[in-house]
Amino acid sequence: MKYISTRGQSPALSFSEILLGGLAPDGGLYLPESYPQFSHADLSAMRSMSYTDLAFAILNRFIDDIPTADLKAIIDKTYRADVYAYTRSGQNAAEITPTVKLADNLYLLSLSNGPTLAFKDMAMQLLGNLFEYVLTKTGKTTNILGATSGDTGSAAEYAMRGKKGIRVFMLSPNKKMSRFQTAQMFSLQDENIYNIAVNGVFDDCQDMVKAVSNDAEFKAQYKIGAVNSINWGRIVAQVVYYFKGYLAVTDNNSQTVSFAVPSGNFGNVCAGHIARMMGLPIDKLVVATNENDVLDEFFKTGIYSPRGSAKTYHTSSPSMDISKASNFERFVFDLVGRDGGKVRELWASVDSGGAFDLKPWLAKLADYGFISGRSSHANRMQTIRDAHANYSVTIDTHTADGLKVALECRDANVPMIVLETALPAKFEDAIIEALGHAPERPATLVGIENLAQKHTVMQVSVAEIKQYIMDKAS
Ligand SMILES: *Cc1c(COP(=O)(O)O)cnc(C)c1O
């Protein structure tokens, strides 16, 4: 299996060759040259599989340059009940992504039982083990540099802590994360994890990362790597739980299901699109956004008009506060018939601050199953209250966005699976606002705010972060 760029001008590479990199040299994103197909017989065989066997059956079709025994060992080490242990009461952690039945044909898929209580652990934990494997094999090291407003940074740190050959330098805006998120990250005492609190906002952190990555000489000398949301390894890991969710709520392969996906950078729902292209019987893929609704606008009008960071709203579902959806290009590549020239033309406009109009393709969007909706803060608060009253579950604000849109557009005859992208304990203040009381917190995380914290405070300065990396990496 080779991987090609959505902009059509980069050489085709193998999985291990693209694993540690970011964008393709032509500025595009990597996708497999074709999607492996799963027949109904394959699906039937999967019905009795454990999560690790399912993950192996799928990932093995995408990864052909890691020996199968090694790949199997990496997967077994990643998807363990003791890693995805923050289950709701009554759930079996060995399921890794258990489902909760809310009502007839309405389910929650628990993707947030991992160490940082958000779905990003599903892919990031695999990435940590894959990185360590590939680096060890090639005798290389990497210094991962990233910026976070909360979820991505903590998932990356918990995936990379203690890993050989890897250091993580994570920038976050000083005093702008929630107390819980700050405690999660800063309480890590691992030697290879460096938390840097920048006296600025998230965009300042992002700009510092970009400036360092754009210095080709520094980047090469200090082996600067990234784990951002365009990484193909993250997308492919997420394909697995769409299969798991489908198999959990159906008993034969003639049934279809729909998925509702709280979306920001389009990474999660992109994995759903790929699962559908691989033959998984998915009816609708529901893209749910918050007030930052670039994607909802696209699926309704065919116009993709990124807002720019100045027009990004800070909402009560902060992990979906994006101005442009970095993985969206992958779907558009498929939509326009995998025409790299067309994608180059569309993104020439986006990259220079403009928009594009795919209205003529609107009818085709339906063939891919996509529909969309959005929520406001008031909608999410109401949905959290309704879910608590009607289904006796407490859901977080991101999941509430998914449930709100799912209820609006579901077909009562088709099972609708809402992806739970974070546990409510991660966003306590919003839950207190909605319900008047704090959500239950896993016992092992009670008092996490009182643990000793380790971090460095820095000004918004490219020179300062470079010097810091030089000191720590030598
Ligand atoms: C990252 C994140 C999202 C958005 O996922 P994308 O893959 O960027 O679309 C939604 N909810 C939570 C809790 C997240 O952390």
Side-chain angles (χ1 to χ4, degrees):
M1 173 72 74
K2 291 280 185 192
Y3 290 85
I4 56 172
S5 164
T6 50
R7 302 207 184 165
Q9 293 185 319
S10 297
L13 296 173
S14 71
F15 180 84
S16 296
E17 288 170 318
I18 64 163
L19 178 66
L20 299 169
L23 291 176
D26 61 7
L29 280 68
Y30 286 109
L31 272 179
E33 57 192 354
S34 65
Y35 295 119
Q37 295 300 304
F38 285 78
S39 65
H40 279 201
D42 293 327
L43 285 177
S44 296
M46 287 171 156
R47 288 194 176 275
S48 56
M49 287 184 187
S50 64
Y51 195 92
T52 47
D53 288 345
L54 188 62
F56 179 74
I58 294 168
L59 297 177
N60 192 36
R61 300 277 293 272
F62 284 99
I63 304 172
D64 58 11
D65 60 345
I66 294 177
T68 53
D70 292 357
L71 181 62
K72 185 90 184 67
I74 291 167
I75 290 170
D76 288 348
K77 179 175 164 187
T78 303
Y79 296 111
R80 297 192 328 238
D82 61 328
V83 175
Y84 297 88
Y86 295 125
T87 51
R88 290 172 183 276
S89 67
Q91 286 186 331
N92 177 5
E95 294 272 318
I96 308 300
T97 62
T99 39
V100 182
K101 183 169 180 171
L102 301 180
D104 281 346
N105 278 345
L106 185 64
Y107 301 87
L108 209 57
L109 184 62
S110 301
L111 302 180
S112 305
N113 298 348
T116 73
L117 317 189
F119 88 100
K120 291 190 171 69
D121 290 326
M122 290 304 303
M124 206 71 92
Q125 289 285 322
L126 181 72
L127 214 58
N129 289 324
L130 282 170
F131 271 31
E132 184 177 52
Y133 173 85
V134 170
L135 289 167
T136 306
K137 271 234 142 149
T138 53
K140 291 182 180 159
T141 61
T142 187
N143 292 303
I144 291 168
L145 176 63
T148 188
S149 54
D151 285 353
T152 306
S154 55
E157 292 185 355
Y158 280 77
M160 306 293 169
R161 60 188 296 200
K163 293 273 187 286
K164 285 188 280 297
I166 304 176
R167 289 188 197 87
V168 178
F169 297 89
M170 192 57 66
L171 310 187
S172 58
N174 195 14
K175 303 204 164 74
K176 300 246 161 48
M177 293 189 295
S178 74
R179 265 171 36 90
F180 181 82
Q181 285 175 319
T182 307
Q184 257 188 329
M185 290 175 58
F186 294 5
S187 66
L188 289 179
Q189 300 297 331
D190 304 76
E191 268 181 30
N192 70 329
I193 303 293
Y194 300 95
N195 280 302
I196 298 143
V198 174
N199 285 324
V201 295
F202 171 70
D203 284 326
D204 296 318
C205 302
Q206 186 104 305
D207 289 345
M208 285 167 72
V209 171
K210 276 190 200 146
V212 173
S213 303
N214 287 341
D215 180 341
E217 202 179 314
F218 186 89
K219 189 177 175 194
Q221 187 176 354
Y222 289 96
K223 302 177 185 70
I224 303 297
V227 288
N228 47 30
S229 74
I230 56 152
N231 184 290
W232 167 252
R234 286 179 61 181
I235 305 290
V236 74
Q238 292 169 180
V239 169
V240 177
Y241 54 67
Y242 283 87
F243 278 77
K244 176 76 178 167
Y246 173 81
L247 297 169
V249 309
T250 59
D251 44 35
N252 71 76
N253 307 331
S254 61
Q255 292 172 275
T256 61
V257 307
S258 295
F259 289 93
V261 189
S263 293
N265 273 318
F266 204 77
N268 199 353
V269 75
C270 186
H273 160 67
I274 291 166
R276 196 172 183 276
M277 299 294 280
M278 290 161 64
L280 190 68
I282 297 176
D283 180 24
K284 295 285 185 290
L285 287 165
V286 182
V287 177
T289 76
N290 63 20
E291 292 86 339
N292 298 291
D293 58 359
V294 266
L295 290 168
D296 182 37
E297 180 176 78
F298 173 77
F299 286 105
K300 293 216 161 84
T301 66
I303 295 170
Y304 180 59
S305 175
R307 308 279 195 260
S309 49
K311 285 198 189 140
T312 306
Y313 302 107
H314 294 281
T315 75
S316 53
S317 47
S319 302
M320 295 158 59
D321 292 350
I322 55 93
S323 50
K324 54 177 149 193
S326 50
N327 276 292
F328 183 52
E329 184 172 335
R330 287 192 159 106
F331 167 64
V332 172
F333 181 63
D334 285 341
L335 178 68
V336 301
R338 300 205 136 203
D339 177 350
K342 180 75 186 168
V343 172
R344 282 204 300 284
E345 178 195 312
L346 296 172
W347 259 269
S349 161
V350 169
D351 289 343
S352 59
F356 61 71
D357 184 349
L358 286 180
K359 237 182 256 117
W361 271 267
L362 263 184
K364 242 192 151 220
L365 283 179
D367 297 345
Y368 288 92
F370 279 104
I371 53 173
S372 72
R374 74 194 285 278
S375 68
S376 65
H377 176 70
N379 295 147
R380 292 188 290 277
M381 292 294 121
Q382 191 57 47
T383 305
I384 291 169
R385 284 191 283 271
D386 290 347
H388 189 257
N390 302 337
Y391 315 131
S392 308
V393 295
T394 305
I395 55 171
D396 95 295
T397 46
H398 304 76
T399 309
D401 171 86
L403 179 59
K404 184 262 181 188
V405 179
L407 289 171
E408 264 168 15
C409 59
R410 82 188 174 114
D411 172 343
N413 299 314
V414 179
M416 172 65 82
I417 303 175
V418 179
L419 302 193
E420 179 168 58
T421 56
L423 289 189
K426 203 156 188 182
F427 300 96
E428 271 181 7
D429 293 349
I431 302 302
I432 293 171
E433 182 184 339
L435 299 178
H437 61 81
E440 205 183 321
R441 189 188 279 196
T444 46
L445 297 176
V446 172
I448 186 175
E449 290 92 340
N450 305 326
L451 296 177
Q453 297 192 0
K454 182 180 93 161
H455 74 285
T456 302
V457 178
M458 194 176 283
Q459 299 307 317
V460 180
S461 160
V462 178
E464 222 180 306
I465 183 64
K466 278 185 178 166
Q467 188 59 51
Y468 187 82
I469 294 171
M470 283 156 62
D471 292 346
K472 301 298 175 190
S474 54

